[in-house]
Amino acid sequence: MKISWKTILLWSLPALIVGFFLWQGSFVTASESIGSNTASTRMTYGRFLEYLETGRVQSVDLYEGGRTAIVQAVDPELENRVQRLRVDLPASSPDLIARLRDKNISIDSHPMRNDGLIWGFLGNLIFPFLLIAGLFFLFRRSNNIPGGPGQAMNFGKSKARFQMEAKTGITFDDVAGIDEAKEELQEVVTFLKQPEKFTAVGAKIPKGVLLVGPPGTGKTLLAKAIAGEAGVPFFSISGSEFVEMFVGVGASRVRDLFKKAKENAPCLIFIDEIDAVGRQRGAGIGGGNDEREQTLNQLLTEMDGFEGNTGIIIIAATNRPDVLDSALMRPGRFDRQVMVDAPDFKGRLEILEVHARNKKLDGEVSIEAIARRTPGFSGADLANLLNEAAILTARRRKEAITILEIDDAVDRVIAGMEGTPLVDSKSKRLIAYHEVGHAIIGTILKDHDPVQKVTLIPRGQAQGLTWFTPNEEQGLTTKSQLMARISGALGGRAAEEEIFGYDEVTTGAGGDLQQVTEMARQMVTRFGMSDLGPLSLESPNSEVFLGGGLMNRSEYSEKVATRIDDQVRSIVEHCHKLARQIIRENREVIDRVVDLLIDKETINGEEFRQIVSEYTHVPEKEQFVPQL
Ligand code: ADP
Ligand code: MG
Ligand code: ZN
């Protein structure tokens, strides 16, 4: 919670000022006590007018700014005794004063007066009241929750931050490339649609399904599709929204969510990022988080609390199943896990087809070619890619998306926005040598992925780029492939050193070196590809802040740590030497390609290989051709 002293002052200042005046009693609007003037008998306004006409009125005293009058009148029926009567005057009686004057009746107006004790007392009360009210508003403001009033003052009845969609409008047709997951979840649709089928034979309907997979692979989409297929409402909330600043709010949200869901059963509850609440209890730095644990406990209680056949199915999504509390996975909770993997070639093809449905593609564009160009893309990346291509097409005022827009969009999704190329200068020349350095090593080493293109058109952070066509779907990577990749990544720096000398090397290789170190380190600590032998010394995800990561961080001794460093260094040094040697041996062709590159700005892989083969042997590389 962020409350600065400035805001507190700002808010309480008006309250302070108002309170001060109240206290002094100079700010009160109160009427003079009329009762003290002994006029307890009331008279109607009509009667008053009648008295006025018949000349019985002697004097009129106005009170309360003219709203009340004490009238002194003679009553003939009571032996002309003088009476004091109270009259409530209507709000607008403009000519009354004139008429009174006409008849020569004495008029007096009495100012408003602070009525002493009681108002002073109230004033004293109002001051703290306003102060509290000011603070209340402050809390409400500091706790701005989209679509709901502040939570600070009403923990109990939190307006939950979950969304409900009566109809998601998404079907299994909109989800592509993850057929196994779809198949497994088809059953869930049937649970929701015809629970009696299962309960009739005594089967217990599962309550929870955990979708596990990297971001953007379609977990949310899949959950929505299940609700859409079953035609049930879709309740969704993100785990991070459960975790609140006040202990107890998360838990009360869970309660609300389940309450609403029960009212709307059959329905589907989707909890995104469940790892935000479902992390192992008592894990992480600084011990447990009370709030998170309470929320998790409440979630578990709610899940246990409803019977399997209430028609509510909970689907949760995470990309970190390893950090989840084991209590979540127990039978009767999220006992089913469905993997939602990044799509392979065929999956990408299907996803692209889904997203190309509403796009105008040029006849020459083959979806297959796009799928081949996009290994490692998630479903969300592919959707984004086609959208970027469509935007580019519109900007270029074309009728339909052509392969040019697709190519540009792929580059943009991977490497960022295109910049303007440098004019010919020393630094452009240096960048050209750096990139050609990568490309030549990638071409000459047999185990390296083939060059797709070399370009000097900047993109994102990079001043120049060398693209390789990854030989995907092979699943496994060999040691010599890793060594080739390290050499290739060092090719840029090696070229700078060979051509411009050690003093002229630039910061441009920073990113390359980071990759190099990471790859070499993994070879040593994870894949057993060094003299240290086949040992796994580090786990892939050693993020400290996540559940329990701190303790198994160092699985080796100080001595081993030194040896790891030595091994990493020796791998990198070996590759660096190799890269420099290749650059030295191919200086002639490098100079020629650099000149061409500065002129043309982009050279594609075919042309590059063609030129290099005029000077030296270029090994054939197996190109992966995806099978349909
Ligand atoms: P996640 O929840 O796994 O992070 P989302 O379901 O939010 O991913 O996916 C984001 C978007 O990406 C979806 O709305 C959809 O447009 C697209 N997308 C992702 N995966 C797929 C898929 N398998 N099929 C079709 N579209 C997909
Ligand atoms: Mg999602
Ligand atoms: Zn580089």
Side-chain angles (χ1 to χ4, degrees), residues 520-542 549-568 571:
R521 199 175 172 83
Q522 293 202 357
M523 283 177 70
V524 179
T525 60
R526 289 185 53 204
F527 307 128
M529 292 176 177
S530 74
D531 294 349
L532 282 186
L535 287 176
S536 173
L537 297 163
E538 263 166 28
S539 44
N541 289 310
S542 34
L550 189 60
M551 292 333 285
N552 42 26
R553 173 78 192 169
S554 46
E555 289 138 340
Y556 41 77
S557 66
E558 200 84 357
K559 224 167 98 192
V560 175
T562 318
R563 289 183 64 198
I564 290 174
D565 289 343
D566 289 345
Q567 287 296 315
V568 171
I571 289 175

Side-chain angles (χ1 to χ4, degrees), residues 172 181 184-186 188-189 192 206-212 218-227 232 234-237 257-258 267-274 299 303 306 312-318 333-334 336 338 340:
F172 274 154
E184 281 203 62
L185 292 167
Q186 186 69 53
V188 176
V189 175
L192 286 167
K207 289 177 196 167
V209 179
L210 187 64
L211 300 180
V212 178
K219 298 181 293 297
T220 309
L221 191 71
L222 202 53
K224 282 189 177 177
I226 294 168
V232 300
F234 179 78
F235 287 87
S236 67
I237 189 161
L257 175 65
F258 277 81
C267 67
L268 190 150
I269 299 178
F270 179 63
I271 304 174
D272 211 351
E273 302 171 46
I274 195 167
L299 183 64
M303 286 191 77
F306 69 86
I312 302 173
I313 290 202
I314 308 159
I315 296 190
T318 182
R333 292 167 183 168
F334 295 102
R336 294 200 175 197
V338 175
V340 184

Side-chain angles (χ1 to χ4, degrees), residues 72-84:
Q72 199 164 307
V74 285
D75 195 341
E77 284 159 31
L78 293 166
E79 302 155 0
N80 280 354
R81 228 179 74 192
V82 177
Q83 268 190 312
R84 286 172 66 83

Side-chain angles (χ1 to χ4, degrees), residues 243-255:
V243 183
E244 267 293 336
M245 56 180 172
F246 294 111
V247 173
V249 173
S252 97
R253 286 224 172 106
V254 174
R255 227 174 294 129

Side-chain angles (χ1 to χ4, degrees), residues 14-199:
L16 270 169
I17 292 167
V18 171
F20 179 73
F21 278 113
L22 287 174
W23 201 27
Q24 296 300 301
S26 51
F27 196 61
V28 187
T29 58
S31 62
E32 188 174 342
S33 166
I34 295 160
S36 65
N37 283 344
T38 65
S40 47
T41 331
R42 263 194 90 246
M43 176 166 68
T44 62
Y45 185 57
R47 192 77 174 270
F48 168 58
L49 290 181
E50 201 186 301
Y51 272 34
L52 198 60
E53 281 312 310
T54 48
R56 294 184 199 164
V57 178
Q58 290 181 336
S59 72
V60 175
D61 291 63
L62 295 168
Y63 292 93
E64 293 183 342
R67 271 179 289 141
T68 310
I70 302 295
V71 177
Q72 199 164 307
V74 285
D75 195 341
E77 284 159 31
L78 293 166
E79 302 155 0
N80 280 354
R81 228 179 74 192
V82 177
Q83 268 190 312
R84 286 172 66 83
L85 296 162
R86 185 178 153 175
V87 181
D88 289 332
L89 301 177
S92 58
S93 45
D95 52 356
L96 183 64
I97 306 279
R99 278 169 70 187
L100 291 173
R101 287 248 300 276
D102 278 351
K103 296 200 181 281
N104 252 332
I105 294 164
S106 89
I107 322 167
D108 197 359
S109 179
H110 298 258
M112 299 182 206
R113 208 196 72 200
N114 173 20
D115 196 27
L117 264 174
I118 193 144
W119 284 101
F121 179 64
L122 276 181
N124 278 344
L125 274 183
I126 283 173
F127 170 48
F129 172 78
L130 282 180
L131 199 70
I132 290 167
L135 281 172
F136 176 68
F137 274 108
L138 185 75
F139 271 102
R140 276 168 72 113
R141 271 166 53 97
S142 73
N143 191 16
N144 55 8
I145 282 150
Q151 300 289 318
M153 293 295 159
N154 57 347
F155 306 104
K157 292 182 286 177
S158 68
K159 286 275 174 297
R161 266 196 283 169
F162 54 80
Q163 286 85 46
M164 183 192 149
E165 284 177 54
K167 282 202 178 73
T168 60
I170 290 170
T171 67
F172 274 154
D173 280 348
D174 300 312
V175 188
I178 38 178
D179 294 337
E180 282 155 48
K182 257 161 78 174
E183 227 160 81
E184 281 203 62
L185 292 167
Q186 186 69 53
E187 208 180 30
V188 176
V189 175
T190 326
F191 289 148
L192 286 167
K193 259 180 157 167
Q194 300 154 309
E196 54 303 334
K197 256 191 181 177
F198 297 87
T199 48

